[in-house]
Amino acid sequence: MSLPAALAAEAPRAQAMLDRLATIGADSPGITRHAFDERENAAHDLAIAQANRLGLEVMRDAATNLYLTWPGEDRAAPRIMLGSHFDSVRHGGNFDGAAGVVAALAAVSALHATGFAPRADITIAAFRCEEAVWFGLGLIGSRAALGILPQEALDRRRADTGRTLAEHIAACGGDPGAIRPGARLLPPGPIRCFLEAHIEQAPSLIEAGVPLAICTGIPGNIRHAAIRIAGEDAHVGLPRRFRRDAALAGADILTALDAMWAEEEAAGRAMAFTIGRFHTDTAKHEITVVPGDFTFSIDLRAYDADHLAALERRFHAILDATAARRGVSIDRGARNAAPVGPCDAGLQAALAAAAARMGVATRPLGSPASHDAANFAAAGTPTGLLLIRNANGSHNPREAMETADLMAAAATFAAFLRDAG
């Protein structure tokens, strides 16, 4: 069977898997596949069923990441890894993360149908808990696999259950005691490269009329989940000069950050920030009370490590200036970071060439989001990322990936794997 014919035959199977994933995660108004819980487990079971159909080797590590390996003729040769994740944000969409695992499985299944025999192992990974919403730290599964998960992360509590990460890993059959900095959990042997596919977060490909992008880079980020501003509660009629208004201090910080973003954008320096939480304590504060405390979160990101560090310094300067001007104190709380993930230039070219051979139009595009691939890039593994056209962004119920575009990613992976041997 030819590769195009095999890919065409594979499309209904990929669609059926996506439909089943939607059923597993159904949680009106969208999809919720909780990390380290029954729904993520069920998604892994779907992938294992496909692996068993293809005769792939199935392995789980101590963090319960899943590895599905097509054995190569030379088991000592550096393997090619592909993968992504199955967990979602709460009430998100069906495709963020899951599309990458489904595309990788479709590529391998199509190659298998053609009679192709890989020279080296090909491993598909489904990493646990990529989304930061569950434990306040993102990319947990790939961090654990690469031996870079902070030890304190095992004591973090999941946002909805209150149970620790260690408890959740153990409940899923893992071994939290084996997860520690410096201890890699990946399948043994060298890795030739790591490839991921993911829906795009902004409708750039919709705008361009192109189904697929070859990612040029993945931003690093700095995150604070709870920055607390402490001022002084007061009566609503208190004159401005006497106030230590924590909410106004928060507004000042938000406005200053937006001005910084506009300045950076005008200078051609790509960055982004998001303040996802921005609130007084509604159980304490009233319509006639000047709020003496205020909480907000921040996710600050950029594509270059030095640029990200400079932005963080500017952010700290904004906090200090606001605290002095408003007469408040600011506790930054815990800081988390994800590394900048440069996409390998050689892999960018090879993926673009593979897409062209399969008749898939592509364009270069930076990813605005963090991905498991960034951890591999930061660890020195050559890394490539495909972005799949998606009309409505991600982390929302309206994610809108067409299966034909998913199969364009699968075709690109399949052509790359075939030509890589």
Side-chain angles (χ1 to χ4, degrees):
M1 182 183 293
S2 70
L3 183 54
L7 287 161
E10 192 62 32
R13 185 177 288 113
Q15 182 64 64
M17 189 171 182
L18 292 171
D19 291 344
R20 179 59 185 146
L21 286 168
T23 300
I24 289 169
D27 187 19
S28 182
I31 296 291
T32 305
R33 287 190 290 267
H34 311 76
F36 293 107
D37 213 330
E38 289 84 357
R39 295 185 183 190
E40 193 183 43
N41 292 345
H44 280 213
D45 288 343
L46 274 183
I48 291 170
Q50 294 300 314
N52 290 338
R53 179 180 65 83
L54 296 169
L56 308 186
E57 296 175 352
V58 177
M59 170 191 160
R60 292 185 182 88
D61 67 19
T64 68
N65 294 310
L66 178 65
Y67 306 100
L68 311 173
T69 297
W70 190 3
E73 295 171 352
D74 181 0
R75 302 301 304 268
R79 75 179 67 236
I80 294 175
M81 290 193 71
L82 308 91
S84 195
H85 64 98
F86 280 123
D87 66 306
S88 74
V89 299
R90 287 170 286 195
H91 305 292
N94 192 36
F95 308 122
D96 183 329
V101 182
V102 175
L105 281 166
V108 165
S109 184
L111 283 173
H112 191 274
T114 69
F116 173 76
R119 184 184 66 83
D121 288 6
I122 297 171
T123 296
I124 299 169
F127 293 111
R128 292 280 189 166
C129 194
E130 191 265 3
E131 302 292 358
V133 298
W134 300 110
F135 294 94
L137 178 68
L139 315 178
I140 281 177
S142 57
R143 288 180 197 251
L146 288 161
I148 57 174
L149 185 71
Q151 194 68 41
E152 58 83 17
L154 292 169
D155 296 323
R156 288 174 176 258
R157 297 186 179 275
R158 208 175 84 176
D160 55 343
T161 65
R163 296 166 63 202
T164 67
L165 174 59
E167 290 172 329
H168 273 281
I169 290 172
C172 290
D175 179 9
I179 304 170
R180 57 187 182 276
R184 287 170 67 101
L185 307 177
L186 293 164
I191 300 173
R192 178 174 170 180
C193 63
F194 179 82
L195 305 176
E196 183 170 0
H198 202 282
I199 58 171
E200 63 170 337
Q201 273 79 22
S204 300
L205 296 175
I206 294 289
E207 182 180 67
V210 175
L212 207 63
I214 310 298
C215 185
T216 57
I218 303 167
N221 67 59
I222 304 298
R223 289 174 174 165
H224 293 264
I227 297 177
R228 293 185 169 86
I229 304 173
E232 186 172 20
D233 290 349
H235 188 277
V236 65
L238 188 70
R240 185 177 185 276
R241 67 185 182 278
F242 297 121
R243 291 194 183 200
R244 296 174 57 217
D245 190 321
L248 282 178
D252 286 352
I253 292 165
L254 176 59
T255 301
L257 284 168
D258 190 42
M260 180 179 79
W261 192 1
E263 178 185 325
E264 293 290 314
E265 192 172 65
R269 296 187 292 265
M271 63 154 289
F273 82 92
T274 297
I275 291 182
R277 299 169 183 158
F278 192 73
H279 57 87
T280 60
D281 183 351
T282 56
K284 174 183 176 183
H285 291 134
E286 302 291 347
I287 193 170
T288 58
V289 176
V290 174
D293 60 80
F294 193 85
T295 300
F296 70 96
S297 66
I298 187 168
D299 183 317
L300 178 65
R301 53 186 59 194
Y303 289 90
D304 175 81
D306 291 340
H307 184 208
L308 183 59
L311 292 173
E312 185 175 20
R313 289 192 294 271
R314 291 186 66 181
F315 171 56
H316 291 169
I318 288 169
L319 295 183
D320 293 343
T322 302
R325 183 173 61 256
R326 291 288 182 181
V328 299
S329 62
I330 300 178
D331 179 357
R332 298 168 190 170
R335 173 189 183 275
N336 296 312
V340 171
C343 290
D344 182 81
L347 284 176
Q348 290 182 56
L351 289 168
R357 287 192 295 276
M358 299 304 295
V360 176
T362 64
R363 58 158 293 184
L365 185 67
S367 170
S370 297
H371 302 283
D372 289 309
N375 282 332
F376 283 86
T381 300
T383 297
L385 176 65
L386 299 179
L387 298 171
I388 305 171
R389 180 164 51 188
N390 165 45
N392 300 316
S394 63
H395 290 189
N396 73 72
R398 297 174 59 240
E399 291 174 6
M401 179 194 69
E402 297 292 335
T403 302
D405 293 340
L406 173 81
M407 293 309 296
T412 301
F413 280 158
F416 174 90
L417 294 169
R418 180 186 61 187
D419 295 343

